Structures are given as C-alpha cells and as structure tokens.
Amino acid sequence: MDEFELTDNQRRVLDYIRQHTAERGRAPTLREIADALGFARHSSAQDYVKALERKGALERIPHRGLRLNHRSRTPAAMLLPLVGRVAAGSPILATENIEGEFGIDASLFRPRPDYFLRVVGLSMRDAGILDGDLAAIHRTDTADNGRIVVARVDDEVTLKTLECKRGRIRLLPSNPDFAPIEIDPERESFAIEGLYVGMIRRT
C-alpha cells in the first residue's frame, strides 16, 4: 500500500522533487516540474504540489519553505528560503527578497537554520566566507560577543562579527581591506536579525 495513498502522478511529482533536491541542492520550480514530467500547464504542477501537502508527503514550514515528510525516505531533507539582496527597510524574509529555495540536510547545522543569505562581497573573506556563498542563518535577536551575525543598521543588512565592549557595539569584517562599522545607538537603529551557523559553497 502506498505510504501516502498517492496517485501515480502525485508519486512521480514527489519522486522528481526528491531527486531534483538531492542532485541540485534546491527544490524544482513549478516550470521545471511541468517540463520534466510532461505536464501541459504549470498550474498542473502546482495542483500536484498542493495535493502532496494535503496528503502529508510535503510539509510547508513557516519561514522555512517545503520539507519532505519524515516518511518520504529522506528524513533530513528540508527546503529553506534563499534570500538575495535585501531591499532597504524591508524584512529579510519579505517576498521581494526571496530568490527561491535551497535543499539541505537539516542535521548539518546547529542550531538549525531558518534561511540562507546569499553573500555579496569579500568583507568576511578571512573567515572563509566568500562572495556568492550561501550563509546559513538561524533567526534570533540576540548573540554572544564574537559571533558572526546578520545585523541591521538603519535600513542596511550586513554579515559581520559582533563585538560588544564597554558599552560600544562594533561590527567587524574579516578582511583588512574593510573598516569596522561603529554603531552609535543614539543616532542609528541597530538590531540583530540572525546568527551565522555555517555556509554552503556552490561550485
């Protein structure tokens, strides 16, 4: 008996999503599903994905995207939002900032990440974080001194090492070509948006 009582086409869609995620590190788009499986309309792929969610084969996690159910033979597979350049003043996970989804083994990172942030620039080069890397971020508004964080200064979001000393806050780069960012709480809005827990480099 089918573990989810799926139709043949639903099973094909689920198997394709599993295969695509394993091979490419991200979930397929509806267009890719439709093209790969020969559906005449992309809306058909959307209907199958929704049916798989209803039957429990796929699970949509708030702010994390789709995850294959633990009975689907890939227990750690999880799809997380991939955030590109963050629009000034908008929440990190606002729709306009989401480039897509990226699949991971959830056991690779501790604590578990909530999204990936595409790194732009080389300010964290000496910490092994390069332009184009996908930084895994755990959502939190607190972090210990010396941890790499996603911070918001006024309307800008940056990935830097947090330094708190004698009431001063600085965001430190890991590249001597870049200057530290000095935070003046009386003149600037400052907030921690997340904690860096690792990265993926796509070759």
Side-chain angles (χ1 to χ4, degrees), residues 2 6 9 13 18 20 50 61 79 81 85 89 97 103 105 110 119 134-135 138 142 156 161 163 171 185 194-195:
D2 192 298
L6 305 181
N9 275 340
V13 171
R18 182 186 299 115
H20 190 284
K50 288 182 177 179
I61 308 298
L79 301 179
R85 286 184 176 272
N97 300 328
D105 178 339
R110 287 290 183 274
V119 176
L134 306 185
H138 171 72
T142 61
E156 299 296 324
T161 299
E163 180 186 81
L171 299 174
L195 180 68

Side-chain angles (χ1 to χ4, degrees), residues 67-198:
R67 181 174 65 184
L68 293 164
N69 185 282
H70 70 281
R71 291 182 290 159
S72 64
R73 300 193 297 276
T74 52
M78 172 176 278
L79 301 179
L80 301 183
L82 172 58
V83 178
R85 286 184 176 272
V86 177
S90 71
I92 281 185
L93 291 176
T95 302
E96 62 267 27
N97 300 328
I98 304 299
E99 289 187 359
E101 295 175 322
F102 194 85
I104 64 164
D105 178 339
S107 67
L108 292 175
F109 305 100
R110 287 290 183 274
R112 177 174 288 185
D114 294 292
Y115 60 93
F116 283 104
L117 185 68
R118 186 181 299 281
V119 176
V120 178
L122 294 172
S123 66
M124 297 301 288
R125 179 195 64 193
D126 295 346
I129 305 171
L130 304 181
D131 184 72
D133 286 349
L134 306 185
I137 307 298
H138 171 72
R139 293 184 73 184
T140 180
D141 58 4
T142 61
D144 293 332
N145 190 44
R147 295 297 299 268
I148 298 175
V149 300
V150 176
R152 186 181 294 273
V153 182
D154 291 334
D155 284 342
E156 299 296 324
V157 172
T158 186
L159 184 71
K160 295 290 186 293
T161 299
L162 178 68
E163 180 186 81
C164 300
K165 289 184 178 179
R166 296 183 292 276
R168 295 178 58 196
I169 300 174
R170 296 204 304 166
L171 299 174
L172 306 180
S174 292
N175 183 335
D177 295 334
F178 293 79
I181 299 173
E182 307 277 349
I183 306 299
D184 182 349
E186 295 185 0
R187 300 179 58 185
E188 298 168 300
S189 173
F190 171 77
I192 293 173
E193 299 273 354
L195 180 68
Y196 171 81
V197 296

Side-chain angles (χ1 to χ4, degrees), residues 26-42:
R26 64 170 178 83
T29 64
L30 295 177
R31 178 183 295 275
E32 287 171 331
I33 294 173
D35 292 346
L37 301 182
F39 298 146
R41 299 183 305 277
H42 299 153

